[in-house]
Amino acid sequence: MERTQVLIVGAGAAGIGVALALQRLGLDLRVLERNVIGSSFRRWPAETRFITPSFTANAFGLTDLNALTPETSPAYSLGQEHPGGAAYARYLRALARHYELSVEERTAVEHVRTFSEGFRVETTRGSFEARFLIWATGEFQFPRQDLQGARLALPYARVKSWAALEGETYTVIGGYESGLDAAYHLVRLGKRVQLLDPSAPWKRSTGEPSQDVSPYTLERLREALETGRLELRQERATRITRANGQFQVYHSNGVLQSPTPPILATGFEGGFEPVRRLFEWKGPAPLLHEASDESTRTPGLFLVGPKVQHRDTAFCFIYKFRARFPVVAEAIGRRLGVDTAPLEVYRKRGMWADDLADCCTSRCTC
Amino acid sequence: MERTQVLIVGAGAAGIGVALALQRLGLDLRVLERNVIGSSFRRWPAETRFITPSFTANAFGLTDLNALTPETSPAYSLGQEHPGGAAYARYLRALARHYELSVEERTAVEHVRTFSEGFRVETTRGSFEARFLIWATGEFQFPRQDLQGARLALPYARVKSWAALEGETYTVIGGYESGLDAAYHLVRLGKRVQLLDPSAPWKRSTGEPSQDVSPYTLERLREALETGRLELRQERATRITRANGQFQVYHSNGVLQSPTPPILATGFEGGFEPVRRLFEWKGPAPLLHEASDESTRTPGLFLVGPKVQHRDTAFCFIYKFRARFPVVAEAIGRRLGVDTAPLEVYRKRGMWADDLADCCTSRCTC
């Protein structure tokens, strides 16, 4: 049995990032990771890139959109504007090493229970206890599969490399970032692609990055459309079947047939199982106190990462959810009676979103 | 004779941007532009793109690196991450129209003189007077040509489109952003390129964007090098000659010969002529008060744009020099006795650099 002040579950961007904020306060913490640091990123398709561009403008308070601390920048350490998953995992590993974080790899959480002095977490490598628990598991490994016949499809997250796929024609289901990324890479490889999405995200222009397609992808989309091999269809896929050696995707207006399994790119769910009952839920979103991202049901349990949601804002990019690291760290630090001044640098560097009325919805005028 | 409180010379990124900051204070101002709004951007080679990526993260205080106001974003209005010059000129024009800026196009400044009530500016379209004068001319139209034989070369800024150039082999002089951009586009078109730069910027990794090659260009450089048609040489070009129907570029270690004129990409000088005597100079940099970017020689005369320099920091990107717009606007507003609170939004949105000791030099740890 090991006891620390804080346990963090997940050594991806959210877990490593919040751990480094807490470490500034001198807290005793441990990160538990069921696989290895950054393993979700390592499972990205080889060609997938960050859609948020990295740039080394930290010193002007415009911190690299993919950075996890105010003093680091993937643009700097990787020399790339749009890192791939494997490269970003190297950045995570470099952070953990440089700051000497305590990370237990290959330690999967099996049960979590609360008791008078906090949380007891049972893992495949023994028990851990802590007063505070931060849930920071990734979502990439949990594709949403609620479409009928979804098991016949190839989920985006299961693709190792688009170049390894055979066949000349593809159906892609889902037209937000993952679906458009799949379509772009397949078209680049000379294949024909039909993409279905009832909400046609490629047509939206709200100014809010969680709604709109990113500028990076808009540029790639124009390139893909110019080949004449991509068709974007505003239709809802309703069902997938397999017959006569072909796959059928039924949609609101007919059926598409292809010899290759359809690519399923309809989003991800969080890996909440061991703590699901410790949150209240509003649909797929766990309810959190706005001032601290703490569970409304279980004091001492915090959520960080892309599943954090407040009002109309989904903190679904790194530059968004990292802005809650100091919020969580400050809440824990105060309760432990430590000086939280070392967190101030997050505010100066555009990494602290605590005014939810003002932040965090863009509506640009030009 | 027209009189306003403030005259701004130049309707590029610097002039339009500072005008919009001043307009928030309700000041009476006018922008004089010798050509049309954004004309320097319109003269970029067709293929040239911004090296700083645009992204719509304004609401998180991480304002689009190429935006000129806290509420706008070229990523949003242009739908591009790396706008070209013509697209960016459209953004400038949209700003001027949306905010109803008073811009006099085709009005070239010929003489500037000071008098008891400020400045009198003689132009090709009459005289203008103002208490404050802001110099915001671009630099793109003034390539540096101090290399011997430079007049034989083709300056980067004179290229309309790389696709329009004939010939199969090129020498590029200068290896920072413009030189690498030239090399990238020529190589993409199937040409062979030798590039000379004694300081080998492509090898630097300081974390400071005004020193290092951008992540965007590093990615493009790797692509160009993979073709085998680009050679980067750490040599100083010393002289250009023309003989036997060929161009010769002499360098520290020999001579390169090509049938095409060498591309000169060794930087730009500011268009300071009408106000040169109104500044003190330290080499190529005009001396400015740190607290206001006001000329140390002429009270009431301010400089904005990429030629602003303090200590070791060159404000040579839009995201850098725009952070001095509110500094200049506040200095003028205070002297006119107006409330400068409307500028506060610049601080919240990462667009105000007034602490030169803290800003503005990056040194990333990872």
Side-chain angles (χ1 to χ4, degrees):
Chain A
M1 173 68 63
E2 305 204 36
R3 186 167 174 95
T4 52
Q5 288 173 304
V6 189
L7 269 179
I8 297 155
V9 177
I16 295 289
V18 77
L20 291 171
L22 289 160
Q23 190 172 272
R24 281 169 206 258
L25 304 182
L27 302 188
D28 174 32
L29 59 89
R30 178 151 306 177
V31 183
L32 306 179
E33 164 57 47
R34 69 174 183 162
N35 196 326
V36 296
I37 292 173
S39 50
S40 285
F41 290 102
R42 294 159 65 117
R43 275 198 289 264
W44 280 15
E47 297 88 350
T48 300
R49 297 288 175 266
F50 270 72
I51 55 171
T52 40
S54 275
F55 191 83
T56 48
N58 297 32
F60 273 69
L62 301 157
T63 300
D64 186 324
L65 295 177
N66 303 313
L68 296 174
T69 78
E71 300 84 5
T72 66
S73 159
Y76 171 69
S77 62
L78 304 173
Q80 293 175 54
E81 179 173 275
H82 290 279
Y88 198 76
R90 288 202 304 275
Y91 166 68
L92 291 177
R93 193 164 280 282
L95 287 178
R97 194 171 40 228
H98 181 82
Y99 293 106
E100 299 179 7
L101 272 185
S102 167
V103 182
E104 301 287 328
E105 295 185 315
R106 307 201 183 283
T107 303
V109 172
E110 298 184 319
H111 301 289
V112 174
R113 62 184 187 77
T114 58
F115 71 117
S116 56
E117 286 157 72
F119 298 85
R120 176 167 297 168
V121 176
E122 307 291 346
T123 79
T124 49
R125 312 250 301 235
S127 301
F128 296 82
E129 278 185 15
R131 175 155 167 206
F132 298 100
L133 177 64
I134 300 178
W135 202 252
T137 57
E139 51 172 14
F140 185 72
Q141 63 270 50
F142 306 104
R144 212 177 275 158
Q145 299 203 296
D146 37 17
L147 179 66
Q148 196 188 331
R151 74 197 150 68
L152 294 170
L154 176 59
Y156 179 93
R158 296 281 176 276
V159 174
K160 293 219 181 314
S161 165
W162 301 103
L165 296 188
E166 296 181 355
E168 292 312 308
T169 63
Y170 275 85
T171 306
V172 173
I173 301 171
Y176 190 51
E177 289 291 346
S178 299
L180 294 174
D181 184 65
Y184 169 77
H185 288 296
L186 290 167
V187 163
R188 235 174 106 95
L189 290 161
K191 304 179 194 299
R192 300 200 148 266
V193 175
Q194 303 225 49
L195 182 147
L196 301 175
D197 193 307
S199 68
W202 54 85
K203 290 184 183 171
R204 277 201 296 263
S205 178
T206 67
E208 166 48 41
S210 56
Q211 299 293 320
D212 295 354
V213 171
S214 69
Y216 179 60
T217 299
L218 285 177
E219 288 183 354
R220 296 186 299 160
L221 183 58
R222 282 189 283 269
E223 193 185 321
L225 287 168
E226 273 169 20
T227 65
R229 293 194 300 275
L230 172 61
E231 199 182 336
L232 302 173
R233 304 181 61 157
Q234 187 165 5
E235 308 279 4
R236 179 183 303 281
T238 51
R239 170 162 74 96
I240 305 172
T241 59
R242 183 174 195 175
N244 311 319
Q246 299 262 315
F247 294 85
Q248 294 81 32
V249 178
Y250 289 84
H251 60 79
S252 21
N253 210 16
V255 58
L256 294 177
Q257 190 139 279
S258 69
T260 52
I263 309 292
L264 194 63
T266 49
F268 307 100
E269 306 182 63
F272 280 106
E273 283 330 313
V275 288
R276 185 169 291 280
R277 73 191 189 291
L278 301 179
F279 288 101
E280 293 183 278
W281 293 85
K282 185 183 174 187
L287 289 183
L288 306 171
H289 289 295
E290 275 192 11
S292 60
D293 291 352
E294 190 170 10
S295 165
T296 53
R297 173 166 289 162
T298 310
L301 171 63
F302 297 81
L303 180 69
V304 299
K307 285 297 175 198
V308 171
Q309 209 172 309
H310 290 293
R311 305 187 192 185
D312 288 340
T313 299
F315 288 73
C316 57
F317 288 95
I318 285 174
Y319 79 88
K320 292 186 169 190
F321 69 67
R322 73 181 183 191
R324 302 295 286 180
F325 295 161
V327 171
V328 170
E330 188 182 48
I332 292 175
R334 281 190 182 157
R335 251 174 279 175
L336 290 169
V338 305
D339 176 17
T340 59
L343 296 171
E344 277 306 309
V345 62
Y346 284 83
R347 197 179 297 282
K348 288 174 77 167
R349 295 290 183 93
M351 290 180 67
W352 197 329
D354 54 2
D355 180 356
L356 293 172
D358 186 57
C359 119
C360 304
T361 308
S362 295
R363 288 290 178 271
C364 297
T365 54
C366 286
Chain B
M1 172 69 62
E2 305 203 36
R3 185 166 175 96
T4 52
Q5 288 173 304
V6 188
L7 269 179
I8 297 155
V9 177
I16 295 290
V18 77
L20 291 172
L22 289 160
Q23 190 171 272
R24 280 169 206 258
L25 304 182
L27 302 188
D28 174 33
L29 58 89
R30 178 151 306 177
V31 183
L32 306 179
E33 164 57 46
R34 68 174 183 161
N35 196 326
V36 296
I37 293 172
S39 50
S40 286
F41 290 102
R42 294 159 65 118
R43 275 198 289 263
W44 280 15
E47 297 88 349
T48 300
R49 297 289 175 265
F50 270 72
I51 55 171
T52 40
S54 274
F55 191 83
T56 48
N58 297 33
F60 273 69
L62 301 157
T63 300
D64 185 324
L65 295 176
N66 302 313
L68 295 174
T69 79
E71 300 84 4
T72 66
S73 159
Y76 171 69
S77 62
L78 304 173
Q80 293 175 53
E81 179 172 276
H82 290 278
Y88 198 76
R90 287 201 304 275
Y91 166 68
L92 290 177
R93 192 164 281 282
L95 287 178
R97 194 170 41 227
H98 180 82
Y99 293 105
E100 300 178 7
L101 272 185
S102 167
V103 182
E104 301 287 329
E105 295 185 315
R106 306 200 183 284
T107 303
V109 172
E110 298 185 318
H111 301 288
V112 174
R113 62 183 188 78
T114 58
F115 72 117
S116 56
E117 287 157 71
F119 298 85
R120 176 166 297 168
V121 176
E122 307 292 346
T123 79
T124 49
R125 312 251 300 236
S127 301
F128 296 82
E129 279 186 14
R131 174 154 168 206
F132 298 100
L133 177 64
I134 300 179
W135 202 252
T137 57
E139 52 173 12
F140 185 72
Q141 63 270 50
F142 306 104
R144 211 177 275 157
Q145 299 203 296
D146 37 17
L147 179 67
Q148 197 188 330
R151 74 197 149 68
L152 294 171
L154 176 59
Y156 178 93
R158 296 281 175 276
V159 174
K160 293 221 181 314
S161 165
W162 301 103
L165 296 188
E166 296 181 356
E168 292 311 309
T169 63
Y170 275 86
T171 306
V172 173
I173 301 171
Y176 189 51
E177 289 291 345
S178 298
L180 293 174
D181 184 64
Y184 169 77
H185 288 295
L186 290 167
V187 163
R188 234 174 107 94
L189 290 161
K191 304 179 194 299
R192 300 200 148 266
V193 175
Q194 303 225 51
L195 181 148
L196 302 175
D197 193 307
S199 68
W202 55 85
K203 290 183 183 172
R204 278 200 296 263
S205 178
T206 67
E208 166 48 40
S210 56
Q211 300 292 320
D212 295 354
V213 171
S214 69
Y216 179 60
T217 299
L218 285 177
E219 289 183 353
R220 296 186 298 160
L221 183 58
R222 282 190 283 269
E223 193 185 321
L225 287 168
E226 273 169 20
T227 65
R229 293 194 299 275
L230 172 60
E231 200 182 336
L232 301 174
R233 305 181 61 157
Q234 187 165 4
E235 307 279 5
R236 178 183 304 280
T238 51
R239 172 161 73 94
I240 305 172
T241 59
R242 183 174 194 175
N244 310 319
Q246 300 262 316
F247 294 85
Q248 294 81 33
V249 178
Y250 289 84
H251 60 79
S252 21
N253 209 16
V255 59
L256 294 177
Q257 190 138 278
S258 68
T260 52
I263 309 292
L264 193 64
T266 49
F268 307 99
E269 306 182 62
F272 279 107
E273 282 330 313
V275 288
R276 185 169 291 280
R277 74 191 187 290
L278 301 179
F279 288 101
E280 292 183 279
W281 294 85
K282 185 182 174 189
L287 289 183
L288 305 171
H289 289 295
E290 275 192 12
S292 61
D293 290 351
E294 190 171 9
S295 165
T296 53
R297 174 166 289 162
T298 310
L301 172 63
F302 296 81
L303 181 70
V304 299
K307 285 297 175 197
V308 171
Q309 209 172 310
H310 290 293
R311 305 186 192 186
D312 288 340
T313 299
F315 288 74
C316 57
F317 289 95
I318 285 174
Y319 80 88
K320 291 186 170 189
F321 70 66
R322 73 182 183 190
R324 302 295 286 181
F325 295 161
V327 171
V328 170
E330 188 182 47
I332 291 175
R334 280 191 182 156
R335 251 174 278 175
L336 289 169
V338 305
D339 177 17
T340 59
L343 296 170
E344 276 306 309
V345 62
Y346 283 82
R347 197 178 298 282
K348 288 174 76 167
R349 295 290 184 92
M351 290 180 66
W352 197 329
D354 54 1
D355 180 356
L356 294 172
D358 186 56
C359 119
C360 305
T361 308
S362 295
R363 289 291 178 270
C364 297
T365 53
C366 285

